[in-house]
């Protein structure tokens, strides 16, 4: 297993590599990451959302099932390689702290990746899921609507704070994945924190680019404006704080300074 100092060294090298990608490569990798996260969301709906009987008697079990199946998205991102906005919120920060990369390069990456993630997630929501009627009938459609309505019903502050919690755990999952030296270890290291944030109901902006547009495509009474204002903006801002401050800055400061 790599220790925290070794993980930061890996993170720094990866951040420099990510910052050197051409825009078209970044966008393609970002599209893939958005799609992978969406596949995790779809699987969670089928398994967790498809268990209304269990939900009625043991709601904690269905939350666990939902959380337990969702992590395939981040596992794919890390193991096969893709560009995920939320993970990248933390990746670059140790290098920024040590002045090895500039803020401009970070913002460029974030912008391209966020856009690519959105296209990938919406593609899976519309083409792979909506057009194939995978969730068109009960109990799946009930779960789709319930998720989207719940995610757009909180105040800005609540969604923002839930966004912090989500990406704090997502970035820790990525960090743990880099601590492991074999694929099995990486999978388990990533799975546990991601399962936790989903089961606890936190807000992940890229996942929500799948969940809420899917509900809109399926006929939920939610507008794109409501999606963006009530969920996407506060969730994204919270994700940035969770990744930048609670993982990138903390671990960059504690283990990233050159001796």
């Amino acid at each position: 297993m790599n220790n925290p100092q070794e993980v930061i060294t890996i993170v720094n090298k990866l951040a420099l590599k990510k910052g050197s990608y051409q825009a078209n490569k970044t966008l393609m990798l970002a599209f893939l990451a958005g799609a992978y996260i969406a596949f995790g969301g779809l699987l969670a709906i089928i398994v967790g959302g498809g268990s209304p009987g269990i939900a009625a008697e043991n709601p904690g079990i269905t939350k666990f099932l939902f959380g337990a199946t969702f992590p395939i998205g981040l596992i794919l991102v890390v193991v096969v390689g893709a560009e995920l906005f939320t993970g990248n919120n933390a990746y670059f920060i140790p290098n920024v702290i040590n002045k090895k990369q500039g803020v401009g390069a970070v913002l460029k990456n974030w912008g391209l990746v966020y856009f690519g993630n959105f296209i990938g997630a919406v593609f899976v929501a519309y083409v792979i899921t909506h057009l194939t009627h995978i969730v068109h009938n009960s109990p799946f459609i009930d779960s789709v609507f319930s998720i989207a309505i719940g995610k757009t019903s909180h105040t800005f502050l609540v969604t923002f704070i839930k966004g912090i919690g989500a990406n704090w755990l997502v970035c820790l999952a990525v960090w743990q994945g880099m601590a492991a030296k074999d694929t099995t270890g990486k999978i388990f290291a990533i799975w546990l924190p991601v399962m936790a944030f989903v089961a606890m109901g936190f807000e992940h902006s890229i996942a929500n680019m799948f969940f809420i547009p899917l509900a809109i495509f399926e006929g939920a009474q939610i507008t794109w404006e409501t999606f963006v204002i009530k969920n996407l903006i506060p969730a994204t801002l919270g994700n940035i704080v969770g990744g930048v401050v609670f993982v990138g800055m903390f671990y960059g400061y504690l283990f990233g300074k050159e001796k």
Side-chain angles (χ1 to χ4, degrees):
M1 184 183 80
N2 295 312
N3 64 38
Q5 187 75 51
E6 291 169 329
V7 169
I8 288 292
T9 300
I10 295 169
V11 167
N12 291 343
K13 290 179 180 178
L14 279 172
L16 289 171
K17 186 176 181 180
K18 288 172 180 286
S20 69
Y21 289 159
Q22 295 293 322
N24 62 339
K25 181 174 182 178
T26 299
L27 285 169
M28 285 188 283
L29 288 168
F31 172 88
L32 293 174
Y36 297 159
I37 296 299
F39 280 129
L42 177 56
L43 180 62
I45 289 170
I46 298 301
V47 177
S51 307
I54 297 175
E57 298 294 329
N58 298 285
I61 298 298
T62 53
K63 287 181 181 292
F64 173 74
L65 290 173
F66 205 93
T69 48
F70 180 83
I72 186 175
L74 188 61
I75 290 169
L76 287 169
V77 168
V78 173
V79 174
V80 304
E83 288 288 301
L84 183 65
F85 172 76
T86 45
N88 286 6
N89 289 157
Y91 268 122
F92 292 91
I93 306 307
N95 277 347
V96 172
I97 291 173
N98 289 308
K99 300 180 179 179
K100 293 180 179 179
Q101 280 179 294
V103 174
V106 176
L107 295 178
K108 178 183 177 182
N109 175 273
W110 285 1
L112 290 170
V113 172
Y114 192 80
F115 176 74
N117 288 168
F118 182 83
I119 300 301
V122 171
F123 176 83
V124 172
Y126 186 76
V127 177
I128 305 298
T129 309
H130 173 64
L131 293 184
T132 57
H133 308 294
I134 292 176
V135 298
H136 198 62
N137 298 313
S138 293
F140 311 111
I141 192 64
D142 303 321
S143 177
V144 169
F145 286 178
S146 176
I147 291 167
I149 292 168
K151 287 179 175 296
T152 54
S153 298
H154 301 301
T155 65
F156 188 100
L157 180 61
V158 167
T159 302
F160 172 76
I161 294 172
K162 285 189 170 186
I164 293 174
N167 210 28
W168 191 346
L169 287 167
V170 166
C171 291
L172 287 176
V174 172
W175 244 244
Q176 285 195 153
M178 287 183 285
K181 292 187 175 182
D182 60 78
T183 302
T184 302
K186 288 180 184 296
I187 290 171
F188 184 72
I190 294 166
W191 179 84
L192 193 58
V194 176
M195 177 278 294
F197 103 73
V198 176
M200 289 186 284
F202 292 151
E203 296 290 336
H204 187 266
S205 58
I206 311 306
N208 292 350
M209 292 173 182
F210 167 76
F211 287 125
I212 302 174
L214 174 60
I216 294 172
F217 296 143
E218 292 291 328
Q221 297 302 303
I222 299 171
T223 66
W224 287 95
E225 181 182 8
T226 298
F227 162 46
V228 172
I229 294 175
K230 294 283 289 182
N231 182 274
L232 192 58
I233 291 174
T236 299
L237 294 174
N239 290 167
I240 291 170
V241 172
V244 168
V245 177
F246 292 98
V247 180
M249 288 183 67
F250 269 82
Y251 284 96
Y253 176 78
L254 293 170
F255 299 105
K257 290 187 176 294
E258 296 179 349
K259 304 299 183 182

